Amino acid sequence: MDFPGFPRIHGIFYAVFDVIKGSIVKHQVPEGSVVSQKSGMNVPIKPLIDFETIRGYVIPKPQLYKRLVTISTDKYKIMGCPVAINNHEKYQLIRNEFRFNLCFVFERDAETSSYEAVVRKMARVLEVLELECDFLSQDASSESRTVQNVIEQLYEDLNSYCECQIPINASNTINLKLFPTYKNPPTVHDYEVPVCTVDLNHMMTVNWDLTVQKMVPHINGINHVKMIAELANVKPDWARKTMQHLLYYGCIIMTDIFQFTNVYAVRPEITRMLDPGKSSLAHECLEYITLPEVTPPPLPRVFALYCGLQYGSSVRDWIEEHQVSTLPIDVRRFISFGVIKGLIYRVHKYPIITNVDSNEVIPLGLPDKSHYSKIININTGAPIHPDIIPYLDGIHHYDEICTALKCSPQELDEQLQATSHGSNHSFEPAMLKPIEHNTKQRLGAGGLYGNTTNRQLDVQQQSLPTHHQRRSRLEDDEMTLYNANRNSDNNNNKNNDNKNNNNNQWSVKFIYR
């Protein structure tokens, strides 16, 4: 029988190196699966593979000894671990070394990672048996079927029971067991929510890890990882590692934080709900989302609800538009089922901060930390809290920011974008308006070239003595130069103030994906 996750072994053969013929098959199971043999009716059995085409790779060059070697043909895949034992006195007739390989035959596209450890272990065990009691060399020099018996039992037991126990002699026994291999779990983040796929409370025993025992009672499909760590009083790093272990064994799956402000969109896979070949998905959905002790809603209505989730519309808007509150369904479970089964996906909101100065080309990126306290958000007209700014690079979404800063999306919106209660247009705060410097000179309201005041002053100066007139003109020239320089300094300061104001004004934009 075939076990889920373990491919069937189509054949096992034991090959040795002959000094005259090269690589030869000494034993094979089933008979004729690798090298053709005649059956009882003298009818040749067609082998699964053409051994002549792979002969050079079954007993390869020394560089591949004691390494896992996989050979692929049109339909099958051969996996082995060649071994060479050097002994000048013992193997002087066969070039001073004994070379062999025990190979397993699978389908070409089979997932054989579970058998890699078995192939390596068999190579080590046979090598040790040869060194201790000449188990292989005695078989090669006689008509004994000791190795044949071993590979026959391997073939039958691994295919039937996924394990085997083969006694060799009083001191040695071959024990093998297949274990499923899982891919490495993804990285777990603080803002993700674990959802149990099995009853962990029922499975848990006193022998489980203490961190797992403290965290399992708080896994309810609502709490995110960081909250679970706080409730269980464990370190966040330990909590993430614990979740990775549970993910590895398929005990939980991760989803996003459910809130009524979330935005979801439908995937093309939603059509699986109506696929007659997969009607169990629709039945599973209705059973999962329906409130207890009520009649499930019709499937077309549920399908229409999923299709109603669209980009730009929050869950709250979706509930009002489709009158979901009148239906006997749990909205949280409805959304969770769609996300877990890949029918819908979460549209995350990523804030990114940009400088509003249009006169200079400023590359995208975060401002310098020394300027955090001076940054003004033109969306709100107020400063942005310094703790938020490091997350405004376009790669952190709202769930991550809110979890890290322990704030709500509404509080984050107040910092980053104008609320619906305020004006929608951007404005310049009064504290940042450039100072209007007084360019009027001390000589009069008309400035250096004023008409009335300057003419009256000239008349008064003409009535003065000559030495006073010369002194007054000299003072006037000095005053003119002083005022001109001051006016130039004031203009430069004004430009610098405007430039600094522009550099301190930033806009927060949002990316949805």
mmCIF file with all atom_site columns, all heavy atoms in Angstrom, residues 354 356 376-382 384 416 418 424-429 504-509:
data_model
loop_
_atom_site.group_PDB
_atom_site.id
_atom_site.type_symbol
_atom_site.label_atom_id
_atom_site.label_alt_id
_atom_site.label_comp_id
_atom_site.label_asym_id
_atom_site.label_entity_id
_atom_site.label_seq_id
_atom_site.pdbx_PDB_ins_code
_atom_site.Cartn_x
_atom_site.Cartn_y
_atom_site.Cartn_z
_atom_site.occupancy
_atom_site.B_iso_or_equiv
_atom_site.pdbx_formal_charge
_atom_site.auth_seq_id
_atom_site.auth_comp_id
_atom_site.auth_asym_id
_atom_site.auth_atom_id
_atom_site.pdbx_PDB_model_num
ATOM 1   N N   . THR A 1 354 ? 7.531   61.364 1.734  1.00 0.00 ? 354 THR A N   1
ATOM 2   C CA  . THR A 1 354 ? 8.265   62.012 0.646  1.00 0.00 ? 354 THR A CA  1
ATOM 3   C C   . THR A 1 354 ? 8.385   63.492 0.952  1.00 0.00 ? 354 THR A C   1
ATOM 4   O O   . THR A 1 354 ? 7.500   64.098 1.565  1.00 0.00 ? 354 THR A O   1
ATOM 5   C CB  . THR A 1 354 ? 7.555   61.826 -0.705 1.00 0.00 ? 354 THR A CB  1
ATOM 6   O OG1 . THR A 1 354 ? 6.224   62.359 -0.605 1.00 0.00 ? 354 THR A OG1 1
ATOM 7   C CG2 . THR A 1 354 ? 7.486   60.364 -1.093 1.00 0.00 ? 354 THR A CG2 1
ATOM 8   N N   . VAL A 1 356 ? 8.317   67.431 0.044  1.00 0.00 ? 356 VAL A N   1
ATOM 9   C CA  . VAL A 1 356 ? 7.469   68.212 -0.863 1.00 0.00 ? 356 VAL A CA  1
ATOM 10  C C   . VAL A 1 356 ? 8.244   69.286 -1.602 1.00 0.00 ? 356 VAL A C   1
ATOM 11  O O   . VAL A 1 356 ? 7.653   70.053 -2.363 1.00 0.00 ? 356 VAL A O   1
ATOM 12  C CB  . VAL A 1 356 ? 6.304   68.864 -0.094 1.00 0.00 ? 356 VAL A CB  1
ATOM 13  C CG1 . VAL A 1 356 ? 5.423   67.803 0.523  1.00 0.00 ? 356 VAL A CG1 1
ATOM 14  C CG2 . VAL A 1 356 ? 6.818   69.816 0.975  1.00 0.00 ? 356 VAL A CG2 1
ATOM 15  N N   . ILE A 1 376 ? 7.271   68.171 9.506  1.00 0.00 ? 376 ILE A N   1
ATOM 16  C CA  . ILE A 1 376 ? 5.854   68.539 9.538  1.00 0.00 ? 376 ILE A CA  1
ATOM 17  C C   . ILE A 1 376 ? 5.147   67.788 8.419  1.00 0.00 ? 376 ILE A C   1
ATOM 18  O O   . ILE A 1 376 ? 5.588   67.792 7.269  1.00 0.00 ? 376 ILE A O   1
ATOM 19  C CB  . ILE A 1 376 ? 5.664   70.053 9.365  1.00 0.00 ? 376 ILE A CB  1
ATOM 20  C CG1 . ILE A 1 376 ? 6.392   70.800 10.480 1.00 0.00 ? 376 ILE A CG1 1
ATOM 21  C CG2 . ILE A 1 376 ? 4.182   70.408 9.369  1.00 0.00 ? 376 ILE A CG2 1
ATOM 22  C CD1 . ILE A 1 376 ? 5.905   70.492 11.871 1.00 0.00 ? 376 ILE A CD1 1
ATOM 23  N N   . ASN A 1 377 ? 4.047   67.139 8.764  1.00 0.00 ? 377 ASN A N   1
ATOM 24  C CA  . ASN A 1 377 ? 3.236   66.415 7.789  1.00 0.00 ? 377 ASN A CA  1
ATOM 25  C C   . ASN A 1 377 ? 2.220   67.388 7.192  1.00 0.00 ? 377 ASN A C   1
ATOM 26  O O   . ASN A 1 377 ? 1.340   67.888 7.901  1.00 0.00 ? 377 ASN A O   1
ATOM 27  C CB  . ASN A 1 377 ? 2.530   65.242 8.461  1.00 0.00 ? 377 ASN A CB  1
ATOM 28  C CG  . ASN A 1 377 ? 1.730   64.404 7.489  1.00 0.00 ? 377 ASN A CG  1
ATOM 29  O OD1 . ASN A 1 377 ? 1.775   64.628 6.274  1.00 0.00 ? 377 ASN A OD1 1
ATOM 30  N ND2 . ASN A 1 377 ? 1.001   63.439 8.006  1.00 0.00 ? 377 ASN A ND2 1
ATOM 31  N N   . ILE A 1 378 ? 2.336   67.673 5.905  1.00 0.00 ? 378 ILE A N   1
ATOM 32  C CA  . ILE A 1 378 ? 1.426   68.643 5.292  1.00 0.00 ? 378 ILE A CA  1
ATOM 33  C C   . ILE A 1 378 ? 0.013   68.072 5.173  1.00 0.00 ? 378 ILE A C   1
ATOM 34  O O   . ILE A 1 378 ? -0.935  68.827 4.936  1.00 0.00 ? 378 ILE A O   1
ATOM 35  C CB  . ILE A 1 378 ? 1.934   69.064 3.895  1.00 0.00 ? 378 ILE A CB  1
ATOM 36  C CG1 . ILE A 1 378 ? 1.899   67.892 2.906  1.00 0.00 ? 378 ILE A CG1 1
ATOM 37  C CG2 . ILE A 1 378 ? 3.314   69.675 3.978  1.00 0.00 ? 378 ILE A CG2 1
ATOM 38  C CD1 . ILE A 1 378 ? 2.179   68.309 1.485  1.00 0.00 ? 378 ILE A CD1 1
ATOM 39  N N   . ASN A 1 379 ? -0.157  66.755 5.339  1.00 0.00 ? 379 ASN A N   1
ATOM 40  C CA  . ASN A 1 379 ? -1.509  66.193 5.307  1.00 0.00 ? 379 ASN A CA  1
ATOM 41  C C   . ASN A 1 379 ? -2.315  66.617 6.524  1.00 0.00 ? 379 ASN A C   1
ATOM 42  O O   . ASN A 1 379 ? -3.533  66.796 6.447  1.00 0.00 ? 379 ASN A O   1
ATOM 43  C CB  . ASN A 1 379 ? -1.447  64.671 5.258  1.00 0.00 ? 379 ASN A CB  1
ATOM 44  C CG  . ASN A 1 379 ? -0.785  64.169 3.987  1.00 0.00 ? 379 ASN A CG  1
ATOM 45  O OD1 . ASN A 1 379 ? -0.648  64.896 3.013  1.00 0.00 ? 379 ASN A OD1 1
ATOM 46  N ND2 . ASN A 1 379 ? -0.361  62.920 3.999  1.00 0.00 ? 379 ASN A ND2 1
ATOM 47  N N   . THR A 1 380 ? -1.632  66.750 7.673  1.00 0.00 ? 380 THR A N   1
ATOM 48  C CA  . THR A 1 380 ? -2.317  67.099 8.912  1.00 0.00 ? 380 THR A CA  1
ATOM 49  C C   . THR A 1 380 ? -1.929  68.471 9.432  1.00 0.00 ? 380 THR A C   1
ATOM 50  O O   . THR A 1 380 ? -2.628  69.023 10.287 1.00 0.00 ? 380 THR A O   1
ATOM 51  C CB  . THR A 1 380 ? -2.001  66.056 9.995  1.00 0.00 ? 380 THR A CB  1
ATOM 52  O OG1 . THR A 1 380 ? -0.579  66.039 10.234 1.00 0.00 ? 380 THR A OG1 1
ATOM 53  C CG2 . THR A 1 380 ? -2.441  64.663 9.559  1.00 0.00 ? 380 THR A CG2 1
ATOM 54  N N   . GLY A 1 381 ? -0.803  69.020 8.938  1.00 0.00 ? 381 GLY A N   1
ATOM 55  C CA  . GLY A 1 381 ? -0.322  70.299 9.443  1.00 0.00 ? 381 GLY A CA  1
ATOM 56  C C   . GLY A 1 381 ? 0.322   70.205 10.800 1.00 0.00 ? 381 GLY A C   1
ATOM 57  O O   . GLY A 1 381 ? 0.492   71.228 11.476 1.00 0.00 ? 381 GLY A O   1
ATOM 58  N N   . ALA A 1 382 ? 0.680   69.034 11.239 1.00 0.00 ? 382 ALA A N   1
ATOM 59  C CA  . ALA A 1 382 ? 1.257   68.834 12.570 1.00 0.00 ? 382 ALA A CA  1
ATOM 60  C C   . ALA A 1 382 ? 2.498   67.957 12.455 1.00 0.00 ? 382 ALA A C   1
ATOM 61  O O   . ALA A 1 382 ? 2.680   67.242 11.457 1.00 0.00 ? 382 ALA A O   1
ATOM 62  C CB  . ALA A 1 382 ? 0.228   68.190 13.502 1.00 0.00 ? 382 ALA A CB  1
ATOM 63  N N   . ILE A 1 384 ? 5.029   64.789 12.964 1.00 0.00 ? 384 ILE A N   1
ATOM 64  C CA  . ILE A 1 384 ? 4.840   63.341 13.031 1.00 0.00 ? 384 ILE A CA  1
ATOM 65  C C   . ILE A 1 384 ? 5.630   62.816 14.219 1.00 0.00 ? 384 ILE A C   1
ATOM 66  O O   . ILE A 1 384 ? 6.768   63.227 14.452 1.00 0.00 ? 384 ILE A O   1
ATOM 67  C CB  . ILE A 1 384 ? 5.316   62.661 11.731 1.00 0.00 ? 384 ILE A CB  1
ATOM 68  C CG1 . ILE A 1 384 ? 4.578   63.231 10.529 1.00 0.00 ? 384 ILE A CG1 1
ATOM 69  C CG2 . ILE A 1 384 ? 5.109   61.154 11.801 1.00 0.00 ? 384 ILE A CG2 1
ATOM 70  C CD1 . ILE A 1 384 ? 5.063   62.663 9.200  1.00 0.00 ? 384 ILE A CD1 1
ATOM 71  N N   . LEU A 1 416 ? -0.848  60.458 10.266 1.00 0.00 ? 416 LEU A N   1
ATOM 72  C CA  . LEU A 1 416 ? -0.344  60.381 8.892  1.00 0.00 ? 416 LEU A CA  1
ATOM 73  C C   . LEU A 1 416 ? -1.245  61.017 7.854  1.00 0.00 ? 416 LEU A C   1
ATOM 74  O O   . LEU A 1 416 ? -0.764  61.452 6.816  1.00 0.00 ? 416 LEU A O   1
ATOM 75  C CB  . LEU A 1 416 ? -0.098  58.912 8.506  1.00 0.00 ? 416 LEU A CB  1
ATOM 76  C CG  . LEU A 1 416 ? 0.885   58.142 9.395  1.00 0.00 ? 416 LEU A CG  1
ATOM 77  C CD1 . LEU A 1 416 ? 1.099   56.746 8.858  1.00 0.00 ? 416 LEU A CD1 1
ATOM 78  C CD2 . LEU A 1 416 ? 2.211   58.868 9.502  1.00 0.00 ? 416 LEU A CD2 1
ATOM 79  N N   . ALA A 1 418 ? -5.073  63.373 6.950  1.00 0.00 ? 418 ALA A N   1
ATOM 80  C CA  . ALA A 1 418 ? -6.133  64.233 7.484  1.00 0.00 ? 418 ALA A CA  1
ATOM 81  C C   . ALA A 1 418 ? -7.379  63.416 7.732  1.00 0.00 ? 418 ALA A C   1
ATOM 82  O O   . ALA A 1 418 ? -7.755  62.562 6.923  1.00 0.00 ? 418 ALA A O   1
ATOM 83  C CB  . ALA A 1 418 ? -6.420  65.368 6.504  1.00 0.00 ? 418 ALA A CB  1
ATOM 84  N N   . ASN A 1 424 ? -9.814  68.909 3.934  1.00 0.00 ? 424 ASN A N   1
ATOM 85  C CA  . ASN A 1 424 ? -9.131  67.937 3.100  1.00 0.00 ? 424 ASN A CA  1
ATOM 86  C C   . ASN A 1 424 ? -7.916  68.526 2.420  1.00 0.00 ? 424 ASN A C   1
ATOM 87  O O   . ASN A 1 424 ? -7.062  67.796 1.962  1.00 0.00 ? 424 ASN A O   1
ATOM 88  C CB  . ASN A 1 424 ? -10.091 67.391 2.039  1.00 0.00 ? 424 ASN A CB  1
ATOM 89  C CG  . ASN A 1 424 ? -11.204 66.575 2.656  1.00 0.00 ? 424 ASN A CG  1
ATOM 90  O OD1 . ASN A 1 424 ? -11.006 65.939 3.681  1.00 0.00 ? 424 ASN A OD1 1
ATOM 91  N ND2 . ASN A 1 424 ? -12.378 66.620 2.051  1.00 0.00 ? 424 ASN A ND2 1
ATOM 92  N N   . HIS A 1 425 ? -7.868  69.882 2.295  1.00 0.00 ? 425 HIS A N   1
ATOM 93  C CA  . HIS A 1 425 ? -6.745  70.470 1.586  1.00 0.00 ? 425 HIS A CA  1
ATOM 94  C C   . HIS A 1 425 ? -5.567  70.624 2.539  1.00 0.00 ? 425 HIS A C   1
ATOM 95  O O   . HIS A 1 425 ? -5.735  70.843 3.738  1.00 0.00 ? 425 HIS A O   1
ATOM 96  C CB  . HIS A 1 425 ? -7.144  71.820 0.997  1.00 0.00 ? 425 HIS A CB  1
ATOM 97  C CG  . HIS A 1 425 ? -7.502  72.837 2.037  1.00 0.00 ? 425 HIS A CG  1
ATOM 98  N ND1 . HIS A 1 425 ? -8.756  72.907 2.620  1.00 0.00 ? 425 HIS A ND1 1
ATOM 99  C CD2 . HIS A 1 425 ? -6.762  73.836 2.611  1.00 0.00 ? 425 HIS A CD2 1
ATOM 100 C CE1 . HIS A 1 425 ? -8.793  73.900 3.493  1.00 0.00 ? 425 HIS A CE1 1
ATOM 101 N NE2 . HIS A 1 425 ? -7.600  74.471 3.518  1.00 0.00 ? 425 HIS A NE2 1
ATOM 102 N N   . SER A 1 426 ? -4.372  70.550 1.976  1.00 0.00 ? 426 SER A N   1
ATOM 103 C CA  . SER A 1 426 ? -3.180  70.723 2.791  1.00 0.00 ? 426 SER A CA  1
ATOM 104 C C   . SER A 1 426 ? -2.959  72.203 3.062  1.00 0.00 ? 426 SER A C   1
ATOM 105 O O   . SER A 1 426 ? -3.313  73.059 2.264  1.00 0.00 ? 426 SER A O   1
ATOM 106 C CB  . SER A 1 426 ? -1.971  70.130 2.070  1.00 0.00 ? 426 SER A CB  1
ATOM 107 O OG  . SER A 1 426 ? -1.780  70.774 0.830  1.00 0.00 ? 426 SER A OG  1
ATOM 108 N N   . PHE A 1 427 ? -2.346  72.512 4.187  1.00 0.00 ? 427 PHE A N   1
ATOM 109 C CA  . PHE A 1 427 ? -2.115  73.904 4.541  1.00 0.00 ? 427 PHE A CA  1
ATOM 110 C C   . PHE A 1 427 ? -0.761  74.006 5.202  1.00 0.00 ? 427 PHE A C   1
ATOM 111 O O   . PHE A 1 427 ? -0.200  73.012 5.658  1.00 0.00 ? 427 PHE A O   1
ATOM 112 C CB  . PHE A 1 427 ? -3.218  74.425 5.468  1.00 0.00 ? 427 PHE A CB  1
ATOM 113 C CG  . PHE A 1 427 ? -3.292  73.700 6.780  1.00 0.00 ? 427 PHE A CG  1
ATOM 114 C CD1 . PHE A 1 427 ? -2.635  74.177 7.907  1.00 0.00 ? 427 PHE A CD1 1
ATOM 115 C CD2 . PHE A 1 427 ? -4.008  72.524 6.889  1.00 0.00 ? 427 PHE A CD2 1
ATOM 116 C CE1 . PHE A 1 427 ? -2.696  73.496 9.104  1.00 0.00 ? 427 PHE A CE1 1
ATOM 117 C CE2 . PHE A 1 427 ? -4.074  71.834 8.086  1.00 0.00 ? 427 PHE A CE2 1
ATOM 118 C CZ  . PHE A 1 427 ? -3.423  72.330 9.190  1.00 0.00 ? 427 PHE A CZ  1
ATOM 119 N N   . GLU A 1 428 ? -0.278  75.263 5.262  1.00 0.00 ? 428 GLU A N   1
ATOM 120 C CA  . GLU A 1 428 ? 1.026   75.521 5.860  1.00 0.00 ? 428 GLU A CA  1
ATOM 121 C C   . GLU A 1 428 ? 0.835   76.015 7.282  1.00 0.00 ? 428 GLU A C   1
ATOM 122 O O   . GLU A 1 428 ? 0.114   76.994 7.500  1.00 0.00 ? 428 GLU A O   1
ATOM 123 C CB  . GLU A 1 428 ? 1.786   76.570 5.040  1.00 0.00 ? 428 GLU A CB  1
ATOM 124 C CG  . GLU A 1 428 ? 3.187   76.835 5.564  1.00 0.00 ? 428 GLU A CG  1
ATOM 125 C CD  . GLU A 1 428 ? 3.886   77.889 4.732  1.00 0.00 ? 428 GLU A CD  1
ATOM 126 O OE1 . GLU A 1 428 ? 3.200   78.633 4.029  1.00 0.00 ? 428 GLU A OE1 1
ATOM 127 O OE2 . GLU A 1 428 ? 5.115   77.967 4.818  1.00 0.00 ? 428 GLU A OE2 1
ATOM 128 N N   . PRO A 1 429 ? 1.412   75.356 8.271  1.00 0.00 ? 429 PRO A N   1
ATOM 129 C CA  . PRO A 1 429 ? 1.246   75.812 9.651  1.00 0.00 ? 429 PRO A CA  1
ATOM 130 C C   . PRO A 1 429 ? 1.785   77.227 9.835  1.00 0.00 ? 429 PRO A C   1
ATOM 131 O O   . PRO A 1 429 ? 2.755   77.627 9.207  1.00 0.00 ? 429 PRO A O   1
ATOM 132 C CB  . PRO A 1 429 ? 2.046   74.795 10.463 1.00 0.00 ? 429 PRO A CB  1
ATOM 133 C CG  . PRO A 1 429 ? 2.192   73.616 9.568  1.00 0.00 ? 429 PRO A CG  1
ATOM 134 C CD  . PRO A 1 429 ? 2.203   74.154 8.180  1.00 0.00 ? 429 PRO A CD  1
ATOM 135 N N   . ASN A 1 504 ? 11.604  70.848 5.687  1.00 0.00 ? 504 ASN A N   1
ATOM 136 C CA  . ASN A 1 504 ? 10.975  70.272 6.869  1.00 0.00 ? 504 ASN A CA  1
ATOM 137 C C   . ASN A 1 504 ? 9.546   69.818 6.612  1.00 0.00 ? 504 ASN A C   1
ATOM 138 O O   . ASN A 1 504 ? 8.938   69.230 7.482  1.00 0.00 ? 504 ASN A O   1
ATOM 139 C CB  . ASN A 1 504 ? 10.979  71.290 8.009  1.00 0.00 ? 504 ASN A CB  1
ATOM 140 C CG  . ASN A 1 504 ? 12.374  71.535 8.558  1.00 0.00 ? 504 ASN A CG  1
ATOM 141 O OD1 . ASN A 1 504 ? 13.233  70.673 8.413  1.00 0.00 ? 504 ASN A OD1 1
ATOM 142 N ND2 . ASN A 1 504 ? 12.599  72.689 9.155  1.00 0.00 ? 504 ASN A ND2 1
ATOM 143 N N   . GLN A 1 505 ? 9.003   70.154 5.453  1.00 0.00 ? 505 GLN A N   1
ATOM 144 C CA  . GLN A 1 505 ? 7.642   69.770 5.126  1.00 0.00 ? 505 GLN A CA  1
ATOM 145 C C   . GLN A 1 505 ? 7.660   68.482 4.307  1.00 0.00 ? 505 GLN A C   1
ATOM 146 O O   . GLN A 1 505 ? 8.289   68.421 3.256  1.00 0.00 ? 505 GLN A O   1
ATOM 147 C CB  . GLN A 1 505 ? 6.934   70.883 4.353  1.00 0.00 ? 505 GLN A CB  1
ATOM 148 C CG  . GLN A 1 505 ? 6.753   72.154 5.167  1.00 0.00 ? 505 GLN A CG  1
ATOM 149 C CD  . GLN A 1 505 ? 5.994   73.209 4.399  1.00 0.00 ? 505 GLN A CD  1
ATOM 150 O OE1 . GLN A 1 505 ? 5.264   72.887 3.484  1.00 0.00 ? 505 GLN A OE1 1
ATOM 151 N NE2 . GLN A 1 505 ? 6.178   74.468 4.794  1.00 0.00 ? 505 GLN A NE2 1
ATOM 152 N N   . TRP A 1 506 ? 6.948   67.484 4.814  1.00 0.00 ? 506 TRP A N   1
ATOM 153 C CA  . TRP A 1 506 ? 6.923   66.174 4.171  1.00 0.00 ? 506 TRP A CA  1
ATOM 154 C C   . TRP A 1 506 ? 5.478   65.740 3.982  1.00 0.00 ? 506 TRP A C   1
ATOM 155 O O   . TRP A 1 506 ? 4.583   66.157 4.719  1.00 0.00 ? 506 TRP A O   1
ATOM 156 C CB  . TRP A 1 506 ? 7.665   65.137 5.022  1.00 0.00 ? 506 TRP A CB  1
ATOM 157 C CG  . TRP A 1 506 ? 9.141   65.408 5.129  1.00 0.00 ? 506 TRP A CG  1
ATOM 158 C CD1 . TRP A 1 506 ? 9.738   66.411 5.829  1.00 0.00 ? 506 TRP A CD1 1
ATOM 159 C CD2 . TRP A 1 506 ? 10.198  64.687 4.512  1.00 0.00 ? 506 TRP A CD2 1
ATOM 160 N NE1 . TRP A 1 506 ? 11.101  66.364 5.700  1.00 0.00 ? 506 TRP A NE1 1
ATOM 161 C CE2 . TRP A 1 506 ? 11.422  65.297 4.894  1.00 0.00 ? 506 TRP A CE2 1
ATOM 162 C CE3 . TRP A 1 506 ? 10.253  63.573 3.679  1.00 0.00 ? 506 TRP A CE3 1
ATOM 163 C CZ2 . TRP A 1 506 ? 12.641  64.849 4.473  1.00 0.00 ? 506 TRP A CZ2 1
ATOM 164 C CZ3 . TRP A 1 506 ? 11.487  63.103 3.264  1.00 0.00 ? 506 TRP A CZ3 1
ATOM 165 C CH2 . TRP A 1 506 ? 12.666  63.742 3.650  1.00 0.00 ? 506 TRP A CH2 1
ATOM 166 N N   . SER A 1 507 ? 5.292   64.919 2.981  1.00 0.00 ? 507 SER A N   1
ATOM 167 C CA  . SER A 1 507 ? 3.965   64.390 2.691  1.00 0.00 ? 507 SER A CA  1
ATOM 168 C C   . SER A 1 507 ? 4.002   62.877 2.836  1.00 0.00 ? 507 SER A C   1
ATOM 169 O O   . SER A 1 507 ? 4.977   62.227 2.436  1.00 0.00 ? 507 SER A O   1
ATOM 170 C CB  . SER A 1 507 ? 3.535   64.772 1.271  1.00 0.00 ? 507 SER A CB  1
ATOM 171 O OG  . SER A 1 507 ? 2.315   64.145 0.934  1.00 0.00 ? 507 SER A OG  1
ATOM 172 N N   . VAL A 1 508 ? 2.945   62.318 3.405  1.00 0.00 ? 508 VAL A N   1
ATOM 173 C CA  . VAL A 1 508 ? 2.827   60.871 3.569  1.00 0.00 ? 508 VAL A CA  1
ATOM 174 C C   . VAL A 1 508 ? 1.836   60.356 2.532  1.00 0.00 ? 508 VAL A C   1
ATOM 175 O O   . VAL A 1 508 ? 0.680   60.772 2.510  1.00 0.00 ? 508 VAL A O   1
ATOM 176 C CB  . VAL A 1 508 ? 2.360   60.497 4.982  1.00 0.00 ? 508 VAL A CB  1
ATOM 177 C CG1 . VAL A 1 508 ? 2.209   58.981 5.106  1.00 0.00 ? 508 VAL A CG1 1
ATOM 178 C CG2 . VAL A 1 508 ? 3.351   61.008 6.021  1.00 0.00 ? 508 VAL A CG2 1
ATOM 179 N N   . LYS A 1 509 ? 2.310   59.474 1.680  1.00 0.00 ? 509 LYS A N   1
ATOM 180 C CA  . LYS A 1 509 ? 1.471   58.844 0.665  1.00 0.00 ? 509 LYS A CA  1
ATOM 181 C C   . LYS A 1 509 ? 1.293   57.369 1.034  1.00 0.00 ? 509 LYS A C   1
ATOM 182 O O   . LYS A 1 509 ? 2.004   56.840 1.878  1.00 0.00 ? 509 LYS A O   1
ATOM 183 C CB  . LYS A 1 509 ? 2.087   58.999 -0.724 1.00 0.00 ? 509 LYS A CB  1
ATOM 184 C CG  . LYS A 1 509 ? 2.341   60.457 -1.120 1.00 0.00 ? 509 LYS A CG  1
ATOM 185 C CD  . LYS A 1 509 ? 2.913   60.571 -2.515 1.00 0.00 ? 509 LYS A CD  1
ATOM 186 C CE  . LYS A 1 509 ? 3.238   62.023 -2.861 1.00 0.00 ? 509 LYS A CE  1
ATOM 187 N NZ  . LYS A 1 509 ? 2.048   62.893 -2.794 1.00 0.00 ? 509 LYS A NZ  1
#
